[in-house]
Amino acid sequence: MSILVLGTVALDTVETPFGKRKRLLGGSAVHFSMSARLFTQVNLAAIVGNDFPPRHIRFLEDKGVILTSLIRSGGETFKWEGKYEGDLNTALTLDTCLGVLTVFKPVISDRESRIKNIFLANVDPDIQRSLLKRLRSPRLVGLDSMNYWIKNKRKELLRLLKEVNIYVANDQEARSLSGENNLIRAARYLKSLGPDMVLIKKGEHGVLFYSPKFIFALPAYPVDQVIDPTGAGDTFAGAFMGYLARRGKSNAADLKRAIAYGTVAASFNVEGFGLEKTSRMNKAELKGRLDKFKSCFIF
Amino acid sequence: MSILVLGTVALDTVETPFGKRKRLLGGSAVHFSMSARLFTQVNLAAIVGNDFPPRHIRFLEDKGVILTSLIRSGGETFKWEGKYEGDLNTALTLDTCLGVLTVFKPVISDRESRIKNIFLANVDPDIQRSLLKRLRSPRLVGLDSMNYWIKNKRKELLRLLKEVNIYVANDQEARSLSGENNLIRAARYLKSLGPDMVLIKKGEHGVLFYSPKFIFALPAYPVDQVIDPTGAGDTFAGAFMGYLARRGKSNAADLKRAIAYGTVAASFNVEGFGLEKTSRMNKAELKGRLDKFKSCFIF
């Protein structure tokens, strides 16, 4: 089954201890697509400005991403500039240019409105909601957000949480939205806000999954050189949601394996700037790392 | 096979969001003993002052801890006062009274000098070294330290690292001593300083084990109410080293299982103040949690 992702397409300028890269193709929907494409057909709903390089369009098409609902609008493409220091766990945002994001009204085709597996990557909760309304028969809806919306559009986000199946958040966001420091209590609280399941991403410390039926935790895949973590969370979500879309079901075994795939996909992402690694990774490499990963914690 | 632990016996005053407790029995050697005792006979080498309550001696003896080498000296028992806030990951030290620790010269019996499994818990590296010299035929020596010694007795610590088998550090210490932010690189560097293996404790984020033969990582056992994390690392080390001492060998399977036991033992520790939980836990509870833990991350 195919998947539909709503999110950003961005031009990222990133500085880490390993160097600086300007105007890399990035954004939540793009990073998501790079891993989801290995499991299923990806339909991308986003907006870019008239400064968006045509080579990026060709690149995405080459990767099999369906761009029917990528809107090209007058104005600037969304740009983000950030810096990572020390342990590379937290990005310091230096500059943000929202550009065309401020006028983004997602429009999807009739075919896409029938897609059952959806990921609402990080954009304004109002935009996420407007897409959600267009769906005919969603089966599994994942939602991501960020601290900015938790602070500034809390009401809208809370409303949205009642209508999705999986809420994906990083540890800071989970703590901030729940007011709980303990991540299991945070997850339990977030679950009570509406979604069936909560997935908390902890960067280099792995992931914690919570559903009323079971708790699941994985450490991160051990990577000895983190070059640029930008997009790791979306890469995780892409493999996670992509695997579930391919399976067409989401019982405990599917969910656990999906989380494991998300974990190893994210490990590729951090090993290079932007899409350097994820644009080249293939299913066999992902599977290879998955098998190796298992031996890291089976006792 | 029995085990010998060198470390502190302390009176801890601790404040966490769940309350404040004064002069609890604590210290690295005591927390270590509470979990190690479930696997093997524990011999404790430490010092206390003449203000040390006799009931604590009886308590330790009741738990089967051999106190032949617990020195009772004139002066004050080592006291630590600390506070935890927020996510309870980092202790804020409010006061430290070294007391008799400043005159501590460990003396062990002839029988103890023949013990093969040793843990040098956190005390002055010079004291750790003086004990190490008295051992006749150590087989497996674990070493813990702390930031204070990394800063103030670096040379002595580096010398000691060449003579031990396992270096146990928390993530801050590993980063500080290695100068590496990435924990795998940090572990690899620490290994190059002498020990055969490196074990990095990451608190609520679990543990990372490094040896040239394999890397092993486990998330923390999910605990939904962390009351007081004081001593969690030593409780981990106690179960880890205790299990290995009981096995009498340390191949990959033993090491992995030892790390898993350390993880679940630490989860009991954080669920109560001081020794509240670890003094009562038994082998069956530990085993029960170990089995439950497995299902948390097998995919």
Side-chain angles (χ1 to χ4, degrees):
Chain A
M1 282 198 274
S2 58
I3 197 163
L4 172 65
V5 58
L6 167 76
T8 59
V9 172
L11 297 172
D12 288 341
T13 297
V14 182
E15 191 177 349
T16 84
F18 297 94
K20 186 173 178 173
R21 297 290 184 281
K22 288 181 183 173
R23 306 215 169 180
L24 293 172
L25 174 59
S28 57
V30 171
H31 282 288
F32 181 96
S33 300
M34 281 307 109
S35 52
R37 74 186 164 93
L38 298 178
F39 297 95
T40 186
Q41 185 204 63
V42 182
N43 300 263
L44 184 153
I47 190 168
V48 293
N50 52 18
D51 60 348
F52 192 69
R55 71 173 190 282
H56 290 337
I57 300 284
R58 287 194 301 273
F59 166 81
L60 288 168
E61 284 174 344
D62 281 353
K63 293 294 165 191
V65 181
I66 310 295
L67 300 180
T68 315
S69 299
L70 176 66
I71 300 169
R72 293 128 220 233
S73 166
E76 258 194 75
T77 300
F78 169 53
K79 293 181 187 69
W80 177 79
E81 185 170 347
K83 194 175 176 174
Y84 297 87
E85 287 171 341
D87 60 12
L88 283 83
N89 274 330
T90 318
L92 178 69
T93 292
L94 300 174
D95 199 15
T96 305
C97 162
L98 290 175
V100 293
L101 263 192
T102 56
V103 298
F104 183 30
K105 287 190 179 63
V107 181
I108 54 174
S109 67
D110 186 62
R111 181 187 61 77
E112 288 171 325
S113 73
R114 295 173 200 278
I115 291 177
K116 298 196 180 315
N117 292 274
I118 319 291
F119 192 67
L120 308 172
N122 170 38
V123 281
D124 185 324
D126 287 334
I127 300 177
Q128 292 174 318
R129 191 177 167 78
S130 79
L131 184 97
L132 199 54
K133 280 187 178 166
R134 290 168 199 272
L135 303 172
R136 307 283 181 94
S137 51
R139 188 193 65 82
L140 190 72
V141 180
L143 172 76
D144 195 357
S145 194
M146 70 183 289
N147 266 329
Y148 181 83
W149 307 120
I150 293 173
K151 273 184 210 151
N152 299 295
K153 289 217 170 177
R154 193 183 180 90
K155 207 182 69 186
E156 292 82 352
L157 181 59
L158 290 176
R159 196 169 153 202
L160 203 53
L161 276 170
K162 294 190 202 305
E163 300 175 50
V164 303
N165 305 99
I166 306 180
Y167 177 44
V168 178
N170 68 32
D171 46 354
Q172 286 178 316
E173 292 156 9
R175 287 185 165 122
S176 161
L177 185 56
S178 68
E180 292 276 3
N181 272 310
N182 179 286
L183 289 179
I184 295 179
R185 296 172 78 88
R188 193 182 292 148
Y189 178 84
L190 296 173
K191 159 76 186 74
S192 77
L193 297 176
D196 306 316
M197 305 164 250
V198 175
L199 191 54
I200 301 179
K201 300 168 295 178
K202 306 188 290 174
E204 66 158 338
H205 300 302
V207 64
L208 176 69
F209 173 88
Y210 179 88
S211 79
K213 282 184 197 147
F214 68 98
I215 290 175
F216 188 70
L218 286 183
Y221 182 87
V223 160
D224 72 354
Q225 188 105 288
V226 176
I227 301 289
D228 171 19
T230 310
D234 294 305
T235 307
F236 178 100
F240 172 74
M241 294 292 297
Y243 179 78
L244 292 176
R246 187 196 187 93
R247 295 287 296 169
K249 57 197 183 66
S250 45
N251 60 30
D254 298 315
L255 287 162
K256 289 174 180 183
R257 207 163 169 84
I259 294 165
Y261 266 120
T263 299
V264 295
S267 76
F268 282 99
N269 175 83
V270 304
E271 289 181 324
F273 278 101
L275 309 174
E276 212 169 54
K277 296 284 174 178
T278 53
S279 62
R280 287 179 212 156
M281 72 181 173
N282 60 43
K283 190 72 185 290
E285 288 171 313
L286 209 59
K287 184 71 172 53
R289 210 167 259 202
L290 190 82
D291 293 338
K292 209 173 150 198
F293 185 37
K294 261 194 172 177
S295 75
C296 281
F297 53 80
I298 301 299
F299 61 87
Chain B
M1 281 199 275
S2 60
I3 197 163
L4 171 66
V5 58
L6 167 77
T8 60
V9 171
L11 297 173
D12 288 342
T13 297
V14 182
E15 190 176 349
T16 85
F18 298 93
K20 186 173 178 174
R21 297 290 185 280
K22 288 181 184 171
R23 306 215 169 181
L24 292 172
L25 175 59
S28 56
V30 170
H31 283 288
F32 181 96
S33 301
M34 281 307 108
S35 52
R37 73 186 164 95
L38 299 178
F39 297 95
T40 187
Q41 185 206 62
V42 181
N43 299 265
L44 186 153
I47 190 168
V48 293
N50 52 19
D51 60 346
F52 191 68
R55 70 172 192 283
H56 291 337
I57 300 281
R58 287 195 301 272
F59 165 82
L60 289 168
E61 283 173 345
D62 281 353
K63 293 294 166 190
V65 181
I66 310 295
L67 301 180
T68 315
S69 300
L70 176 67
I71 301 169
R72 294 130 219 231
S73 166
E76 259 194 73
T77 300
F78 169 53
K79 295 183 186 68
W80 177 78
E81 184 169 349
K83 193 175 175 174
Y84 296 87
E85 288 171 340
D87 60 12
L88 282 83
N89 273 331
T90 318
L92 178 68
T93 293
L94 301 175
D95 199 13
T96 304
C97 162
L98 290 176
V100 293
L101 264 192
T102 55
V103 297
F104 182 30
K105 288 190 178 64
V107 180
I108 53 174
S109 66
D110 185 63
R111 181 187 61 77
E112 287 171 325
S113 74
R114 295 173 199 279
I115 292 177
K116 298 195 179 316
N117 293 273
I118 318 291
F119 193 66
L120 306 172
N122 170 38
V123 280
D124 185 322
D126 288 331
I127 299 177
Q128 292 175 318
R129 190 176 168 77
S130 77
L131 185 95
L132 199 54
K133 280 186 178 169
R134 291 170 198 270
L135 303 171
R136 307 281 182 95
S137 53
R139 189 192 64 84
L140 190 72
V141 180
L143 172 75
D144 196 358
S145 194
M146 71 182 290
N147 266 328
Y148 181 82
W149 307 120
I150 292 173
K151 273 184 211 151
N152 299 295
K153 290 219 172 176
R154 194 183 179 89
K155 208 182 69 185
E156 292 81 352
L157 181 59
L158 290 175
R159 197 171 151 199
L160 203 51
L161 276 170
K162 295 190 201 306
E163 299 176 48
V164 304
N165 305 100
I166 306 180
Y167 177 44
V168 178
N170 69 31
D171 45 355
Q172 287 178 315
E173 292 156 7
R175 287 186 165 121
S176 161
L177 185 56
S178 68
E180 292 277 2
N181 273 309
N182 179 285
L183 288 180
I184 295 178
R185 295 172 79 85
R188 194 182 291 147
Y189 178 84
L190 295 173
K191 159 77 186 74
S192 78
L193 296 177
D196 306 316
M197 306 165 248
V198 175
L199 191 54
I200 300 179
K201 301 170 291 178
K202 306 189 290 175
E204 66 159 339
H205 300 302
V207 65
L208 176 70
F209 173 87
Y210 179 89
S211 79
K213 284 185 196 146
F214 68 97
I215 290 175
F216 187 71
L218 286 183
Y221 182 89
V223 161
D224 72 353
Q225 189 105 287
V226 175
I227 301 290
D228 170 20
T230 310
D234 294 306
T235 307
F236 178 100
F240 171 74
M241 294 292 297
Y243 179 78
L244 292 177
R246 187 197 186 91
R247 296 287 296 169
K249 56 195 182 68
S250 46
N251 61 30
D254 298 315
L255 286 162
K256 290 174 181 182
R257 206 161 170 86
I259 293 165
Y261 266 119
T263 298
V264 296
S267 76
F268 282 99
N269 175 82
V270 304
E271 289 181 324
F273 278 100
L275 309 174
E276 211 169 56
K277 296 284 174 178
T278 53
S279 61
R280 287 179 212 155
M281 73 182 173
N282 60 42
K283 190 71 185 290
E285 288 172 313
L286 209 60
K287 184 70 172 55
R289 208 168 261 202
L290 190 83
D291 293 338
K292 208 172 151 201
F293 185 38
K294 260 195 172 175
S295 76
C296 281
F297 53 79
I298 301 300
F299 59 86

